[in-house]
Amino acid sequence: MSLSRFLLKRSLHGLFVVWGVITVVFGLRVIAPGDPANVLLPPNVDPEVRQQVIRELGLNEPLYVQYFEFVAGIPTGDLGLSLTTRTPVAARVLAKLPATLELAVAATVVAVIIAIPLGVISATRRHDPADYGATVFSLLGISTPNFWLGVMLIILFAVQLDMFPTSRRPVGFDTIVAQALALQFGSAWDALTTWLWHITLPAITLGTYFTALITRLTRSGMLDELGKTYVRASRAKGLPETLVRYKHVLRNTLIPVITVVGLQLGTLIGGAVITEAVFAWPGLGSLIINSFNARDWPVLQGSLIVVGAGFVVTNILVDAFYAYLNPQVTYD
Amino acid sequence: MISPRTLRNLKKELSHSVLAKAGIVVVVFMVAMAIFAPLVAPYSPGQQNLDQAREPPLGFTTKETKEVTKTENGSVVIENGQVVTENQTVYNNATLAHPLGTDGNGRDILSRVIYGARTSMLVGLLGTALAALIGVTVGLSAGYYRGRVDDALMRTADIMLAFPSLILAVALVGVWGQAAFRIPDPFVATGFTEWWRGLVGLSAGPMPGDIVLPGTVIVVVALVNWVWFARVSRGEALSVREEEYVKAAKALGANDSRVLGRHVLPNAITPILVLATVQVAAIILLESALSFLGLSGASVSWGFDIALGRQYQSTSWWISAIPGIAIVLTVIGLNLVGDWLRDALDPGIDGEGGV
Amino acid sequence: MADEILKVRDLKTRFFTEEGQVNAVEGVSFDVRDGEIYGIVGESGSGKSVTALSLIDLVESPGRVTSGEVWYRNTELAEEFRDENPEAVDGEFVDVRRLPKGVRRSLRGPSFSMIFQDPMSSFNPSLTVGEQIAEAVEVQRRARANPRRTRSRTQGYGLGKMLVDSLVPSKSYVQDASMDRAVELLEQVGIPDPVDRADEYPHQFSGGMLQRAMIAQALAGEPDVLVADEPTTALDVTIQAQILNLLRDLQRDEGMSVVMITHDLGVIARMCDRVGVMYAGEIVERGTLEDVFENPVHPYTQGLLGSIPDLADPAPRLQPIEGNVPSLIDSEMGDRCYFADRCPKAMEDCLQRIPEFDAEKAGASDDEHRVRCVLAERQYDESQALHDGHFEEQEVAADD
């Protein structure tokens, strides 16, 4: 099967999963006790007004009609109206998305930059202090709840040492890009430093688990790989050790690591929710928690759909990258 | 189910590995703390003492500046008709009465950590058990019957995995609320607690009479995590169903449930056991995250206490720090036990999950 | 008579494992001459593969070559190190083990090369076969362009290229000229459509074709000595013959020497000029093929050859000899002939370390026939024979 057919097949499967996500999300609201109208209305409201609101929300229709309208709206970008602000859910979700993406990307970048060299050092210098250090770090990293790590980082670096701010995101990455494109490099630079200054602690908080996980995977994968005969054969033909390790071994190590990291993207988004809660970071996670507290079902549903769809799309991309890197993949 | 050879491997790995021993010690310690909480906790976890609020743990002293009413010779100083205040440096010293310090309401942190272990262990163990029950049943049937059952399972699993576990858990808690059951604590109900505390000289203060079982949270974490069990047991069932002895058993007329129970399940038990160990850790992390967000409804929980401590983060770091250390220790312990089981039994699976 | 290209003296390789020190190679000596095929034959676990790896300096942790000399004839190196390191030089020969690490590595390719048992696992699965062969060409090309640089760890392969290579399938190290040479090499080893096949991945090759490709890779540096470790064991019988013929033809065309490591007496009989028989980390008997096969002195060699009536019709498999290959763990080996416990002619004299004897007295016609057995010097004497249960009793005594 060719790569393009493989991608087509993956995309169709992805569409199916997104449909499943939408259905589950619709189902959640249906089985939820309580009447959404109650969120909007004071407890002792005139029953007639109440009926009118229920009609407006479409809650008087049979369930299958509601479901059909819900599903049909999604391709057009219609995720309904927020119960609390009466504004389109899609706009609210989109407005919060960049902050979460920034955080997730920053955490992933931090994780990859630290974890891969750490894993390589750990695997190539076994039983060295560096190896023990990396092993202890990765065990701690996968065992530490990130919200607690966040609180500790705030106490140490923000409260005690006053090196970083405790919370918030005064400037988004889009601002930096806009200013740079407008050739206002001075203010773009200022914005960039402010941005970096604010995102450092949240990115470390979110990235630590991943750093630890990737370190672990890189180390064990590289040790496996170094024991294979082709490594010995590469040395036998006179290749310098650097070439053996990095051109041959590291690349083969990273192929499976990429798949696992792809599978863990869900964990990353889940981690982002709670990291945002710790740092008052105004992203999708904060939106989910707030709409949960306000019982704003449409917003909660919309956020879940966006998160689920995002996961599906990223996974297809990861699969494609994997197929591109690994000539042995059979596409099925 | 567990052969003598397996036991030998377990012992061999254990004798090699200091880390595995440490993991077992930590896990046993935490479980014991959870079970015997009313017998070992110095105080009731809810007992407040505002005079002793925010005492640091042993070995630490904190200094804070407080605004107090100025007094001279025992009487309040009044100037220009106003009560005069002054800044006074107050030293908070650690006391033996509260070795891990006290929280913002003067509750003993050690006692809260001990009782918090109950919540974590209850949710971790019951949640994993429920997840395993659902996942193994579904996974074994899917792998054994193949065909449509299998397709349906795999598709469901794909959909479930598209939701980050924490977000799905938040949504499910939103659906079902935060129902909790209370069951009487057997140590307290039988009067053993009172007798024992008198005997060893612990404060008599009435201990909580009920064990709080966070029902929704247990169901939710199980619904979020069953997929991993389903995947592993499906894989085992797929490989075992082609074995000769399974075919032979079927040819001899054994019915499906008998084949599944007698032949397929025992083969799958090792990887399920390893997965379960790692899952207890993942579920404890998930529970603490829900509690931290204030969504689990638990009033004594490590995650919840970390959140409570945030109000005092500028002065009293330990209120948040100590329950977190308890979580880290427990999860490390479970991960080490998981590594040990995996190395000894080598079922070839990866531990998944986490917050 | 041809000159020696390689003189191995008293080579010892140990593995330091949790179970104890394993003496995988225990004082091995032999010579390889210009343009000959030297065979090393033994059962699995006799240390023959470790001997091969020790020659080419590829023993990996926890193993280490602990002592011995590997004299390699190379006038250039001898000149270069004569003043700097006189101990390492003897006439035209240099002791490879005494050379600096970087120099030792630079010998892999142009001086020594190796082919392995299982071609499928000896190629990196995620690079094309052509690129992997071209790498071997490229190393030598760069070495000629800048001899000093070859001896560095990186050979000009920097961080940037490394990062790119780990994420993108690229050929940033290999230049086009080397790719062309790789295609020529593939053609030389008899691979049809070499241009297309060079762009294929190892899993697209059959075992026999891949073994040809590995031979091409080993030839890339035009080595003086090619070490072939069980080159046909993983292949079908019909393909085995083709590969052996190819090896012999190439050896003649290129004029190189080959060290052929195998457990297969048929291969030895068919290919080799001279042969060493390994047992428990030692070469127990060595000499010309004819002499060792026709006048074996060591009871182990005799046992191996037991069922072979004549050289024209050699049995392809080893004759089973009663008992097990010894464990090679240092503490369990003791001072004795290691074969004594399985030997039908074990005597009290065998309970000491046996040196290498000249085999002439025992009827050998080749004056270089050496054997590690007291029977080279004296006749078997039944009155001194060890009784059947001797070694079992020793073990029981040791356990108590």
Side-chain angles (χ1 to χ4, degrees), chain C residues 311-330:
Chain C
L311 274 180
D313 180 25
R317 296 274 169 250
L318 288 185
Q319 218 22 42
I321 298 171
E322 216 174 297
N324 298 315
V325 185
S327 72
L328 304 183
I329 292 179
D330 185 58

Side-chain angles (χ1 to χ4, degrees), chain B residues 49-217:
Chain B
N49 186 345
L50 291 174
D51 293 342
Q52 293 172 357
R54 290 186 282 141
E55 269 185 23
L58 281 182
F60 294 94
T61 303
T62 59
K63 190 170 80 169
E64 58 182 301
T65 313
K66 259 188 186 168
E67 200 177 63
V68 293
T69 322
K70 191 174 177 181
T71 54
E72 259 169 32
N73 305 325
S75 58
V76 178
V77 181
I78 299 174
E79 272 172 26
N80 304 332
Q82 290 213 315
V83 177
V84 178
T85 58
E86 64 179 356
N87 284 338
Q88 201 179 49
T89 307
V90 183
Y91 288 93
N92 256 331
N93 283 314
T95 58
L96 267 178
H98 302 289
L100 295 183
T102 57
D103 72 4
N105 294 320
R107 293 176 295 197
D108 180 50
I109 290 181
L110 176 60
S111 305
R112 291 187 70 79
V113 166
I114 291 173
Y115 267 89
R118 278 198 157 177
T119 310
S120 286
M121 292 299 160
L122 272 176
V123 177
L125 295 175
L126 293 179
T128 306
L130 190 57
L133 186 71
I134 303 170
V136 170
T137 311
V138 176
L140 285 187
S141 327
Y144 183 75
Y145 292 110
R146 305 249 291 261
R148 287 210 184 135
V149 185
D150 191 24
D151 285 345
L153 164 80
M154 291 317 287
R155 297 293 89 82
T156 316
D158 286 343
I159 294 169
M160 295 294 291
L161 289 173
F163 293 104
S165 53
L166 179 65
I167 295 182
L168 189 58
V170 167
L172 286 172
V173 171
V175 171
W176 284 315
Q178 299 153 341
F181 307 100
R182 291 173 170 275
I183 47 176
D185 186 328
F187 292 115
V188 177
T190 55
F192 181 77
T193 304
E194 215 170 319
W195 174 78
W196 167 265
R197 293 181 75 88
L199 193 70
V200 297
L202 284 168
S203 81
M207 305 307 275
D210 293 329
I211 298 173
V212 180
L213 202 64
T216 313
V217 175

Side-chain angles (χ1 to χ4, degrees), chain C residues 18-56:
Chain C
E18 276 178 28
E19 278 75 33
Q21 176 186 325
V22 179
N23 297 342
V25 178
E26 180 60 36
V28 159
S29 303
F30 61 94
D31 301 332
V32 181
R33 292 178 186 150
D34 277 337
E36 77 165 349
I37 302 186
Y38 191 90
I40 293 180
V41 65
E43 295 167 271
S44 54
S46 62
K48 56 190 193 305
S49 285
V50 180
T51 305
L53 293 171
S54 306
L55 285 182
I56 188 167

